[in-house]
Amino acid sequence: MRAVVSRNTGFVLVAYAFLVTMIGTTLPTPLYPLFEERYSFGPLTVTVVFAVYAFGVIAGLLLFGNLSDEIGRKPVLLLGLAFSAVSAFLFLFAGSLAPIYAGRVLSGLSAGVFTGTATAMLVDLAPGGRRRLATLIAVVVNLGGLGLGALLAGLLADYCTSPLRLPFIVDLALLVPAVLGLLVTPETVERRVFRFRLQRLRVPSEVRAVFVRAAAAGVGGFAVAGVFGSVAPVFLSQILGRTSHALAGSVVFIQFSASIVGQLGVGRVSDRRALVIGCMLLAGGVGLLALALWIESLAALLGSASVAGLGLGLVIGAGLAAINQRAPVEHRAETASSFFVVMYVGLAVPVIGVGLAENAWNLRGAGIAFSAAVAALMLVVLASLSRPD
């Protein structure tokens, strides 16, 4: 189908497709206690189910990072929507853990495809050539979609029937206009001879010191996001006795909403200062998380989500800005891709570690140990930031 809408309308349609894709990635988050009950598995399995999503994202970044420059943005984004739809179908008809694992991997692939390609297409279609606005919209729909997905699934699970089915039916319904919208959106890249190649990863020597600091801070932030996205619903139900799925989704929504605010604040201070403030907020956020676990406080948990989310937005935004500013132009894409790969490893591995620690001790002990480890990492980064480059 040939494009039939203007570039400005296409910008809105791509943003909608990006939003819907990210919504689909966090739909399972508040439903994990229900999956535990249905399939009789424990928190360690929850963390593994969550973690395979991150490895799917990494695969998407590496396999499809360069593809849209070769065959066009639209075919790659349509592939991402197909991954998202198949993931929803797998959850919809799941009768065992195998389809759930496969669904999470495909969901990660869809996110990996959209994170780079949809952002690039939004910049291509930016109204009036306003690239900064396009980048801001990409951040908002990315993080906003992650928060809205958890909130939507939680509300549907609490107030409607079929809590393990309905969220994915709604997701499929939202994907239909996303597909139609992309089909009528103008292509922004002239197709070339197809050459499949993996996204290269590289950190040039001149940016290595900045990269290490930014990546360490980002790993801490992503680790906290991973714990909130996997273990927080179990903590709410098992320790606080709060079985509301909407509340579990709200905790994740609060965290990602705060991350948007943090991202918006990056441009108001220097990159180094934003990293310092972000690390301090992350340390404070995990401190509140440890307190919430120790005294069984919902208020402390909500405060932790807000403070840590704000810190996450600051460290990711400032870290990426610092890297992009210092990396040579010819290696900027490789360096940024390396940064995100490290971030998603940071999302997956610590979460599995929390699951293993919980098996050895208990949820409270594992969470407090995790909080101490992240706080220590933030203090190390802060110490390194106190020294000149």
Side-chain angles (χ1 to χ4, degrees), residues 260-326:
I260 293 174
V261 175
Q263 288 269 358
L264 295 178
V266 168
R268 301 179 183 275
V269 294
S270 67
D271 297 338
R272 180 182 286 266
R273 187 170 181 80
L275 268 177
V276 168
I277 296 171
C279 288
M280 293 173 65
L281 287 170
L282 280 170
V286 293
L288 284 171
L289 176 59
L291 179 65
L293 290 161
W294 183 258
I295 66 174
E296 300 181 8
S297 169
L298 176 61
L301 181 67
L302 296 176
S304 173
S306 301
V307 174
L310 189 60
L312 170 63
L314 281 168
V315 298
I316 297 302
L320 193 58
I323 289 169
N324 284 335
Q325 181 180 353
R326 292 165 178 79

Side-chain angles (χ1 to χ4, degrees), residues 174-188:
L174 292 173
L175 285 168
V176 172
V179 172
L180 297 177
L182 277 180
L183 290 174
V184 299
T185 295
E187 177 58 74
T188 60

Side-chain angles (χ1 to χ4, degrees), residues 148-341:
L148 285 172
L151 182 60
L152 173 63
L155 289 171
L156 292 173
D158 273 356
Y159 299 109
C160 300
T161 58
S162 301
L164 292 180
R165 299 283 185 265
L166 184 59
F168 303 101
I169 294 173
V170 172
D171 185 35
L172 288 168
L174 292 173
L175 285 168
V176 172
V179 172
L180 297 177
L182 277 180
L183 290 174
V184 299
T185 295
E187 177 58 74
T188 60
V189 171
E190 183 178 347
R191 298 188 181 189
R192 297 184 288 187
V193 177
F194 173 67
R195 293 178 304 160
F196 179 78
R197 52 195 174 93
L198 291 175
Q199 172 65 59
R200 292 181 58 188
L201 302 179
R202 182 178 179 183
V203 181
S205 57
E206 54 264 51
V207 77
R208 202 160 292 158
V210 173
F211 183 95
V212 169
R213 285 198 296 264
V219 162
F222 265 56
V224 174
V227 166
F228 271 96
S230 59
V231 180
V234 180
F235 167 64
L236 283 168
S237 63
Q238 290 187 3
I239 295 182
L240 296 185
R242 304 294 186 108
T243 58
S244 168
H245 306 294
L247 176 60
S250 296
V251 171
V252 178
F253 177 77
I254 289 169
Q255 183 189 43
F256 283 114
S257 297
S259 296
I260 293 174
V261 175
Q263 288 269 358
L264 295 178
V266 168
R268 301 179 183 275
V269 294
S270 67
D271 297 338
R272 180 182 286 266
R273 187 170 181 80
L275 268 177
V276 168
I277 296 171
C279 288
M280 293 173 65
L281 287 170
L282 280 170
V286 293
L288 284 171
L289 176 59
L291 179 65
L293 290 161
W294 183 258
I295 66 174
E296 300 181 8
S297 169
L298 176 61
L301 181 67
L302 296 176
S304 173
S306 301
V307 174
L310 189 60
L312 170 63
L314 281 168
V315 298
I316 297 302
L320 193 58
I323 289 169
N324 284 335
Q325 181 180 353
R326 292 165 178 79
V329 175
E330 64 271 21
H331 299 304
R332 191 169 292 163
E334 299 167 358
T335 309
S337 295
S338 301
F339 180 75
F340 280 113
V341 167

Side-chain angles (χ1 to χ4, degrees), residues 19-20 37 74 92 101 199 306 311 356:
L19 179 71
V20 170
E37 180 181 345
K74 287 171 60 174
L92 185 58
Y101 281 123
Q199 172 65 59
S306 301
L356 291 170

Side-chain angles (χ1 to χ4, degrees), residues 103-122:
R104 289 303 285 161
V105 171
L106 287 170
S107 183
L109 284 170
S110 71
V113 167
F114 264 81
T115 296
T117 303
T119 299
M121 192 167 189
L122 286 172

